[in-house]
Amino acid sequence: MEVEQRKITKREEDENNNQPSIQEEEQETEEEMSGRKIEPWTRQITVRGVLVSIVIGVVFSVIAQKLNLTTGIVPHLNSSAAFLAFVFVQTWTKILKKSGFVSKPFTKQENTMIQTSAVACYSIAVGGGFASYLLGLSHNTYELSGENMDGNSVKSVKEPGLGWMTAYVFAVCFVGLFVLIPLRKVMIIDLKLTYPSGLASAVLINGFHTQGDAQSKKQVRGFMKYFSISFLWGFFQWFFAGLEGCGFAQFPTFGLKAWKQTFFFDFSMTFVGAGMICSHLVNLSLLLGAVLSYGLMWPLLDKLKGSWFPNNIDEKNMKSLYGYQVFLSVALILGDGLYTFVKILCVTIISINARLKNKPNDLDDVSDKKHQKFLKEDENFLRDKIPMWIGVAGYLTFAAVSTVVVPLIFPQLKWYYIIVAYIFAPFLAFCNAYGAGLTDINMAYNYGKIGLFILAAVSGREDGVVAGLAGCGLIKSVVSVSCILMQDFKTAHYTMASPKAMFASQMIGTIVGCIVSPLSFFLFYTAFDVGNPKGEFKAPYALIYRNMAILGVQGFSALPLHCLQMCYGFFWFAVLVNVVRDVSPAKVGRFMPLPTAMAVPFLVGAYFAIDMCVGTLIVFVCEKMNKKKAEVMVPAVASGLICGEGLWTLPAAVLALAGVKPPICMKFLAS
């Protein structure tokens, strides 16, 4: 979840190497569009496109929900969505053609619409708070945070419910769609912001529709092969997981002693695939965090039991070792987030000032030649104008609805706080979208955390936790959705798709996501033991967010013994690592770890970091053997691994709900 703020895709990591292909793509796009008339926006959205986007959005929502509830790390699946859209529709049209039916040609504009709608759908599962601030309100998370902890009031509990969660996401997720519509032309054409993720998606889609059939067939075959392997492997593993702690997911790869410290390979194809998509830096940062925490600090702190914390205390008590695990991970995330927030704010101010003075800005990552204005793209982008009154009226209407509905769900969050939040939201959304256009870092979660601390502090001891968590989601949703929409506008600009069609697709995806995401959450919540710190679905960010709210209410008295001093150290370590990365030469800075990625294993454990490092090792070896082939096949293979095991989750959940248990328990014991 938090790691999405980083440039974690291979495409972004190798951006400099890919620039020539981008320039070639631009030339191809211009040549192609000069001889082909672009369809009106109403024909760019098709029935088959909407159906395909719903299917992809539902599957990705389940996958994202699983990743959120297990580790909290969800890689960018935008490229996978574009690829699956291409595979599904191309396969369908070929089947119809062989059957003697004539179907509408599949264009890159339609491909863009499907990808946009699917991403909007699964983004609700990623950022809707189901595994973080909303689940942080549950009674289980309240108990894990310490029932006797000051500021952790028993009144600050709201059990997950399908009705109120659906109403909440509907109330807060649509506001962000309208807030930056009036600035669409300014940010995409006048300021020529890069939006690397949006540009990368456009390059990928353009490539699908310009490359030869042979390469497309290789990608499709690769995807189907590894999708089948992953699905069947998930099915096979199920037979050996009869009881908790059984099965291949608990295989003591490096011995039982290492297994007790969570160092083992759990044979998760989902995390191996995620590791293939994430950059080497993210995966190695995860491994470093695992070694630092479960390999070094936690064993040492456990020896201080009886000195720093009582021997007879419950291991889930926040005054025990568990408290150090939670708050040290919070310190790393806050240090990383605060530094990045200040940096992006400074970059934004300096860049705006330079543009106002018409001076060249050395903060831009790419030369003017690579950003030259293509008149056909600009003309197409401006042709289907979205009237300003739609943006203003939509924002005011949905903000008013949210101001009425959210206090009905959370009486602790007063309506006047919501009004103040929505007054500042357009400014925050602009700063975040502008910063993301320059750096490709979406800071929505950090804006949400700032809102969390402020609302928790001003709402009082009894109401602070609920007000902080609910308000965090409200602010984060506006800022995040508006940034995603602006990235999609960049994709539309580059693929010659209509902004109106893009906006309509985003609306469709958001509506579907607000329905599907709560359902996918309750699929896991009902079928599995969600929130159990020793189970598979730990939901680490639920505990992290609740304890952030408690800190906002109570202050540092909530910390266990000597934890404050350690938190100071980890906070400034996170800041120092970022400073070194930014000021040192590239050959040094590129080896600096990502503190937010390091923080996740502090709570989750080392096993998933090992899985993802297996994925990164596969990519590294493939690139050494044949880099060109790896660039083509790695996204397809990774998507297959993620989707196969992710799809197996659905029948596994149905079997669990039906009371059908695996017949075998495979477990390893010391002799």
Side-chain angles (χ1 to χ4, degrees):
M1 185 173 65
E2 304 286 336
V3 181
E4 284 193 293
Q5 297 168 2
R6 298 290 186 183
K7 296 187 286 184
I8 65 175
T9 62
K10 290 291 178 187
R11 183 173 297 100
E12 291 157 354
E13 190 183 50
D14 298 330
E15 184 179 335
N16 292 332
N17 296 332
N18 288 342
Q19 286 304 324
S21 63
I22 290 177
Q23 289 177 339
E24 292 169 9
E25 198 67 60
E26 288 171 344
Q27 293 170 0
E28 291 172 0
T29 300
E30 187 175 20
E31 290 169 4
E32 179 186 355
M33 297 319 301
S34 62
R36 180 185 298 174
K37 185 178 179 182
I38 301 175
E39 294 180 320
W41 74 272
T42 51
R43 298 193 63 188
Q44 293 180 19
I45 301 176
T46 62
V47 174
R48 73 180 179 190
V50 172
L51 293 177
V52 169
S53 69
I54 291 174
V55 171
I56 296 174
V58 169
V59 172
F60 277 18
S61 292
V62 174
I63 294 170
Q65 206 71 263
K66 179 186 177 182
L67 292 171
N68 253 341
L69 291 169
T70 49
T71 66
I73 291 183
V74 183
H76 283 303
L77 298 174
N78 302 35
S79 299
S80 298
F83 174 71
L84 288 180
F86 179 76
V87 170
F88 284 175
V89 180
Q90 282 287 74
T91 303
W92 175 247
T93 54
K94 287 180 180 179
I95 291 173
L96 289 179
K97 186 177 180 180
K98 288 181 179 180
S99 303
F101 295 96
V102 178
S103 62
K104 180 183 176 183
F106 183 44
T107 65
K108 59 186 176 184
Q109 287 79 28
E110 186 180 359
N111 203 154
T112 303
M113 297 306 111
I114 297 173
Q115 185 246 11
T116 298
S117 185
V119 170
C121 178
Y122 93 79
S123 293
I124 306 297
V126 174
F130 299 100
S132 53
Y133 44 85
L134 296 185
L135 187 58
L137 294 166
S138 70
H139 190 268
N140 180 59
T141 313
Y142 157 74
E143 290 179 340
L144 289 174
S145 298
E147 297 178 61
N148 300 320
M149 180 179 287
D150 292 336
N152 190 29
S153 170
V154 69
K155 295 181 180 179
S156 60
V157 171
K158 191 174 183 66
E159 285 299 307
L162 183 60
W164 72 258
M165 282 184 160
T166 304
Y168 178 77
V169 292
F170 263 109
V172 302
C173 287
F174 285 91
V175 184
L177 289 174
F178 296 90
V179 64
L180 292 181
I181 283 179
L183 299 177
R184 173 177 61 92
K185 174 181 174 293
V186 173
M187 302 187 82
I188 301 298
I189 294 179
D190 296 342
L191 297 178
K192 295 182 287 185
L193 295 178
T194 315
Y195 290 104
S197 289
L199 181 61
S201 296
V203 170
L204 187 70
I205 292 171
N206 285 340
F208 287 154
H209 293 268
T210 55
Q211 66 187 8
D213 279 345
Q215 186 165 302
S216 299
K217 287 178 180 178
K218 285 182 182 178
Q219 289 179 310
V220 172
R221 282 197 297 267
F223 170 80
M224 294 305 300
K225 177 182 176 180
Y226 287 95
F227 173 88
S228 303
I229 291 172
S230 181
F231 183 87
L232 293 173
W233 175 244
F235 176 58
F236 177 75
Q237 285 191 89
W238 177 82
F239 285 96
F240 299 90
L243 297 173
E244 185 177 343
C246 297
F248 284 92
Q250 297 293 328
F251 193 92
T253 321
F254 309 111
L256 288 172
K257 192 170 182 180
W259 174 80
K260 288 179 181 178
Q261 296 298 330
T262 72
F263 282 91
F264 57 90
F265 177 61
D266 75 343
F267 295 92
S268 171
M269 295 300 102
T270 301
F271 289 129
V272 173
M276 293 175 70
I277 293 177
C278 291
S279 70
H280 298 316
L281 181 59
V282 169
N283 296 323
L284 293 177
S285 297
L286 289 169
L287 186 61
L288 176 61
V291 172
L292 185 62
S293 56
Y294 278 88
L296 183 64
M297 288 195 305
W298 304 160
L300 291 176
L301 283 172
D302 194 51
K303 292 180 180 180
L304 295 172
K305 187 184 293 183
S307 175
W308 283 25
F309 52 93
N311 281 313
N312 57 352
I313 199 170
D314 190 329
E315 62 179 10
K316 294 180 182 178
N317 193 301
M318 294 303 292
K319 295 292 184 180
S320 69
L321 176 62
Y322 198 52
Y324 295 93
Q325 294 174 344
V326 172
F327 287 111
L328 292 183
S329 63
V330 170
L332 272 177
I333 292 171
L334 290 180
D336 191 18
L338 182 62
Y339 174 86
T340 309
F341 176 81
V342 173
K343 182 181 95 171
I344 298 301
L345 195 61
C346 292
V347 167
T348 302
I349 293 172
I350 293 171
S351 180
I352 291 175
N353 184 58
R355 292 180 189 275
L356 289 175
K357 292 181 178 179
N358 293 319
K359 292 180 179 178
N361 182 11
D362 59 358
L363 290 169
D364 289 336
D365 295 321
V366 202
S367 66
D368 288 338
K369 184 179 180 181
K370 295 175 184 176
H371 273 290
Q372 60 180 322
K373 185 181 295 183
F374 287 93
L375 297 179
K376 287 185 179 294
E377 293 178 356
D378 293 348
E379 180 185 349
N380 178 72
F381 190 74
L382 295 174
R383 183 185 300 124
D384 290 326
K385 288 185 178 179
I386 303 174
M388 183 179 291
W389 68 266
I390 290 181
V392 175
Y395 183 77
L396 294 177
T397 300
F398 282 103
V401 170
S402 180
T403 304
V404 173
V405 172
V406 173
L408 294 177
I409 302 172
F410 303 106
Q412 297 90 338
L413 183 58
K414 307 304 180 186
W415 62 268
Y416 41 85
Y417 290 145
I418 298 176
I419 291 177
V420 172
Y422 280 135
I423 290 173
F424 286 99
F427 171 73
L428 299 178
F430 171 78
C431 291
N432 183 55
Y434 189 93
L438 294 172
T439 65
D440 204 31
I441 300 175
N442 187 344
M443 297 291 297
Y445 283 101
N446 291 305
Y447 286 102
K449 287 170 193 168
I450 293 171
L452 183 153
F453 282 117
I454 293 173
L455 288 169
V458 301
S459 297
R461 185 181 297 267
E462 295 297 321
D463 297 340
V465 171
V466 176
L469 292 173
C472 167
L474 185 145
I475 295 169
K476 190 228 60 130
S477 294
V478 176
V479 176
S480 178
V481 171
S482 60
C483 180
I484 292 171
L485 180 63
M486 203 55 61
Q487 287 180 329
D488 288 339
F489 278 142
K490 182 66 178 181
T491 305
H493 178 252
Y494 198 70
T495 59
M496 306 287 280
S498 166
K500 283 185 178 178
M502 180 69 74
F503 181 72
S505 299
Q506 188 89 11
M507 287 286 288
I508 293 170
T510 303
I511 292 170
V512 175
C514 288
I515 297 171
V516 169
S517 295
L519 291 172
S520 63
F521 168 77
F522 272 91
L523 178 70
F524 289 98
Y525 191 74
T526 308
F528 305 106
D529 187 14
V530 173
N532 180 0
K534 291 191 173 180
E536 180 184 2
F537 297 93
K538 296 177 176 66
Y541 280 100
L543 190 60
I544 287 174
Y545 270 78
R546 186 174 185 93
N547 280 281
M548 285 182 183
I550 292 172
L551 281 176
V553 172
Q554 187 61 24
F556 295 127
S557 62
L559 300 175
L561 185 64
H562 299 305
C563 189
L564 177 60
Q565 292 81 0
M566 296 178 71
C567 285
Y568 282 144
F570 277 87
F571 179 92
W572 289 111
F573 167 78
V575 173
L576 180 63
V577 165
N578 279 288
V579 170
V580 172
R581 181 187 301 110
D582 288 340
V583 303
S584 62
K587 61 182 180 181
V588 176
R590 67 192 183 97
F591 290 110
M592 292 296 104
L594 304 176
T596 295
M598 288 179 61
V600 179
F602 279 39
L603 273 180
V604 177
Y607 63 93
F608 85 98
I610 293 172
D611 293 349
M612 295 185 72
C613 282
V614 169
T616 210
L617 179 62
I618 292 171
V619 173
F620 179 78
V621 172
C622 290
E623 288 179 341
K624 288 296 181 182
M625 294 174 63
N626 190 333
K627 183 161 185 164
K628 210 167 188 179
K629 184 178 179 181
E631 288 177 353
V632 173
M633 294 305 299
V634 163
V637 172
S639 300
L641 292 175
I642 293 172
C643 293
E645 193 174 64
L647 195 61
W648 164 249
T649 303
L650 291 173
V654 171
L655 290 171
L657 290 172
V660 179
K661 293 185 177 180
I664 304 170
C665 174
M666 184 177 72
K667 199 166 188 176
F668 297 86
L669 302 171
S671 58

